[in-house]
Amino acid sequence: ALERTFSIVKPDATKRNLTGKICAMLEDGGLRIIAQKRIQLTLAQAQEFYSVHAERPFYDELCEFMVSEPIVVQVLEGENAILRNREIMGATNPADAEEGTIRKTHALSLGENSIHGSDAPETAAEEIAYFFAGLELVG
Ligand code: CMP
């Protein structure tokens, strides 16, 4: 089915000027960018966005990383977009990611892994609503 998912080009990637290369990999993989903006998160926003990880040992490091440089937040649309995007991104840890994936090609480490993608329909809907108004999604 036609689905929407939420994506973030993370600080390690925007800092290295890789936004275009990453968008091209998403598009070449069959996804359409139907909303996009470059923003810099506040610490409070990063903490709220990642609140599901609040008890994890890497939470503080993760939040500080996510505010360290601008990010590009996106809504992606396509057939089975959530799963498709996860395939295009590759495994969370670039050491485990398949050849040709965004994380294998561009990520620096488990934390600095260049891109975020929603893991399920419920989180996709929540994450999209956190960053975009309905009228900003132009499918
Ligand atoms: P993301 O998909 O954005 O969701 C949570 C992020 O936490 C994940 O990508 C990783 O970049 C990061 N992460 C997961 N495990 C660790 C870890 N052990 N140390 C640092 N960051 C981590």
Side-chain angles (χ1 to χ4, degrees), residues 9-124:
V9 182
K10 291 189 178 184
D12 67 282
T14 62
K15 186 175 188 174
R16 289 177 290 146
N17 218 16
L18 294 172
T19 301
K21 287 198 171 76
I22 288 173
C23 291
M25 291 174 86
L26 297 169
E27 292 179 338
D28 290 347
L31 298 174
R32 183 177 297 278
I33 300 165
I34 64 160
Q36 175 166 258
K37 56 193 170 190
R38 179 172 159 103
I39 59 175
Q40 187 151 9
L41 291 178
T42 65
L43 189 57
Q45 288 170 330
Q47 287 167 338
E48 187 181 345
F49 181 76
Y50 280 117
S51 59
V52 62
H53 298 305
E55 302 308 319
R56 305 280 199 97
F58 58 83
Y59 179 66
D60 288 347
E61 183 190 325
L62 172 62
C63 293
E64 276 168 29
F65 166 62
M66 291 301 293
V67 306
S68 66
E69 294 281 335
I71 60 173
V72 176
V73 293
Q74 307 172 312
V75 180
L76 308 176
E77 185 178 83
E79 281 298 312
N80 300 312
I82 295 167
L83 185 62
R84 185 77 199 101
N85 185 39
R86 294 180 74 77
E87 291 169 353
I88 299 166
M89 292 192 297
T92 304
N93 189 337
D96 302 328
E98 304 262 354
E99 279 308 322
T101 61
I102 290 172
R103 285 165 170 160
K104 178 70 176 186
T105 306
H106 294 300
L108 300 174
S109 66
L110 176 56
E112 295 189 300
N113 66 350
S114 301
I115 187 159
H116 164 85
S118 306
D119 59 4
E122 301 72 35
T123 44

Side-chain angles (χ1 to χ4, degrees), residues 4 34-37 73 75 125 127-138:
R4 289 173 175 180
I34 64 160
Q36 175 166 258
K37 56 193 170 190
V73 293
V75 180
E127 292 174 356
I128 290 169
Y130 187 68
F131 286 103
F132 291 98
L135 284 172
E136 294 181 295
L137 312 185
V138 185

